[in-house]
Amino acid sequence: MKKLIIAITAISLFVACGGTQKATNLISSGNYENAFNVSVQKLTKDKNSKSSQKHVPILKEAFSKAEANDLQNIANLKKTNTSEALKKIYGTYLNLDLRQDEIRVLQPLYFEGNEVRFDFTDYSSDITNAKNNYSSKLYTDAQQEMKGDKLAARRAYKLFEELIYVNPTYKNNLTQLSQNAKNKGSSFVLVTMKNNVRTISNDSLQGVNQINSGNFEDQWITYHHRKEAKIRYDYQVDIVLNKLQFQPEKTEQQTVPQEAKVQDGWQYQLDANGNVVKDDKGNDVKVAKYKVVRAEVALYQQNKASKLDGVVSIKNRKTGAIISTNPVFGEAKFQHTYGQFRGDQRAIEQKYYEALKSKALLYPKDYEFVKYSILNFKQKVTAFLSQQKL
């Protein structure tokens, strides 16, 4: 038993030392941030245990060296005035303040019976200045980009969006400025529609040329189904409906013969002399009796369909050149299978049971096929446009 206790104690000491050794090694390698995190994690679990308290002086050393390292990095970054450098300065000051908060939560901290105190700095003004400097740079750069072309406006939009995220109250019109950049950087597309199918009313086509591009991969394409006077359109999408075809109601029949060997009661087992065979207890031996049964399954498949044919063309409005012309069709299909049988039901395969439980259905009306053909047509147009790079 003593050996077991000694072994367990040794393992506990090894684990405890292993944690402090890891943090110490991290400090030695200059990885002060990770050393700080290792010690904070250990003390957060149980800051009062002796093994955890060994992390307190390590924590103080890691905190001090991480702070000094961050301040040196800030001094170096201040030598440049790029938005990336100003962003890092702001983030570093935030991290310096956060690191102090992590220690405040743990205080008071003790090592060998004595409270260990930490030197804290008020970084609130530094954070404010860094935030304003970064915000000012984002705003200035965005305004400069807005003087350029579409690609420059897209960069301006990203800068304005970053500014809104970092400092939404920096200017009271940031949302409008961001929208202006979005508009300037976007390709505007006018979507028109022409209906050459007399049997389809224009009322039933409402919304076909309204393209919701919210889920499109390219966020810089904006589609309008009505022309707006203030918009200068870059491209035009022309949707033309040419023909509506119906596959009339049709019921196809298929007859499937069925055959199976099934148990049909039992009979006594006889030996070679025609006598009933006995088991070990002297009882008559019974065996299953089988017979072949047959049936016939009649399967009926109801079919009706419609197809709406059209064309989608994309044109460059500035040059008048046709970029692409693509056929598109929308479909609606009705298909239903039911069945009947005659003969012995035991012969029928399981896969036909569902059909045998079904009955013939009324065919949907023509207007329902038109409705779903139009819906399917629009879905395919939308899918096609979502792949375009304009």
Side-chain angles (χ1 to χ4, degrees), residues 30 32 63-80 85 88-89 92-93 96 99 123:
Y32 311 127
F63 169 73
S64 177
K65 290 184 175 180
E67 182 181 41
N69 190 60
D70 284 346
L71 292 174
Q72 182 58 54
N73 287 337
I74 288 173
N76 293 334
L77 288 167
K78 284 182 177 180
K79 296 174 183 177
T80 61
K88 288 180 179 178
I89 290 172
T92 305
Y93 274 125
L96 282 164
R99 200 181 293 131
Y123 288 111

Side-chain angles (χ1 to χ4, degrees), residues 2 12 17 21 71 75 150 219 234 259 345 350 377 380:
K2 287 183 179 180
S12 300
C17 293
Q21 187 61 50
L71 292 174
K150 278 186 184 294
Q219 64 171 324
D234 302 282
E259 182 178 291
Q345 187 172 352
Q350 182 74 32
F377 182 89
K380 289 179 178 177

Side-chain angles (χ1 to χ4, degrees), residues 44-78:
T44 300
K45 289 181 180 178
D46 182 12
K47 70 175 186 176
N48 296 316
S49 68
K50 289 185 177 180
S51 62
S52 294
Q53 288 184 356
K54 291 180 180 179
H55 278 268
V56 174
I58 299 174
L59 176 66
K60 183 169 184 177
E61 182 182 1
F63 169 73
S64 177
K65 290 184 175 180
E67 182 181 41
N69 190 60
D70 284 346
L71 292 174
Q72 182 58 54
N73 287 337
I74 288 173
N76 293 334
L77 288 167
K78 284 182 177 180

Side-chain angles (χ1 to χ4, degrees), residues 296-336:
E296 189 176 80
V297 174
L299 295 175
Y300 301 91
Q301 188 176 78
Q302 296 176 269
N303 296 287
K304 185 177 180 179
S306 63
K307 182 181 178 183
L308 177 62
D309 288 291
V311 174
V312 177
S313 299
I314 302 177
K315 178 175 65 176
N316 187 320
R317 282 177 65 96
K318 295 177 181 178
T319 65
I322 301 297
I323 297 174
S324 67
T325 300
N326 299 271
V328 178
F329 62 88
E331 293 180 297
K333 292 182 178 181
F334 170 79
Q335 191 174 79
H336 173 67

